[in-house]
Amino acid sequence: MAATDTRLRTQEEITARVKALEAVLIEKGVLTTAAVDRLAEVYENEVGPQLGAKVVARAWSDPEFKSRLLADATAACSELGIGGLQGEDMTVVENTDTVHNVIVCTLCSCYPWPVLGLPPNWYKAPPFRARIVREPRKLLAEDFGFTVPDSVEIRVWDSSSELRYWVLPQRPAGTDGLSVEQLAALVTRDSMIGVGTVAAPAS
């Protein structure tokens, strides 16, 4: 049996492989250039972390919406027109001063695509899936440069095909006067997975 290549690839390697795959699919008539462009447009504008960021910013600004989001994330997201495949059963977990949440799928790479877009390469890699469960504090510090204080509990949530988790990060200080759009611009995909936080805006 051939060995499985589980190493993390560089962005350049991923880009080259995608271009090669795209060329083969177009050459074989499986896809057209227009279809590829449409798929790219969907993931850039219609699903992806910018939509999750919109939900987070709304929750930070609207306590009633936040309550609905934590009670039923799928229904709350649908209020904003966000949902679809891989987003049928979502649960949002909230970061606080005493609890930090991290998302993983230990079996494969189950992930809430409508709000976070395509899963990053490292999320699907066996080393991340194994280590985040065993030693989350160490992995976050070593792989993401994110140090969680010892006083903060880390909770790791295991997504599945039946239930996909994502994180409501803490609102950073110094953002009281920002609009929902300005708040959304601060939110990152990594903060909604739990491998980072939302940085305060530059002064």
Side-chain angles (χ1 to χ4, degrees), residues 63-161:
E64 292 185 359
F65 177 79
K66 176 181 173 180
S67 295
R68 296 196 298 275
L69 180 67
L70 295 174
D72 187 338
T74 304
C77 288
S78 70
E79 294 178 28
L80 304 182
I82 299 170
L85 186 65
Q86 311 298 325
E88 300 90 347
D89 297 291
M90 297 186 292
T91 293
V92 167
V93 289
E94 181 183 12
N95 284 349
T96 68
D97 290 338
T98 58
V99 175
H100 180 81
N101 299 285
V102 185
I103 307 309
V104 68
C105 175
T106 55
L107 292 179
C108 50
S109 57
C110 295
Y111 188 80
W113 289 30
V115 289
L116 298 187
L118 296 173
N121 190 42
W122 52 260
Y123 183 87
K124 299 178 286 185
F128 172 80
R129 287 158 40 197
R131 286 189 64 209
I132 195 65
V133 174
R134 296 196 315 267
E135 46 186 13
R137 201 177 304 272
K138 184 177 180 182
L139 181 142
L140 291 175
E142 292 180 351
D143 289 13
F144 297 94
F146 174 40
T147 301
V148 180
D150 291 340
S151 59
V152 175
E153 175 190 357
I154 297 179
R155 295 178 183 170
V156 179
W157 300 84
D158 195 356
S159 287
S160 69
S161 58

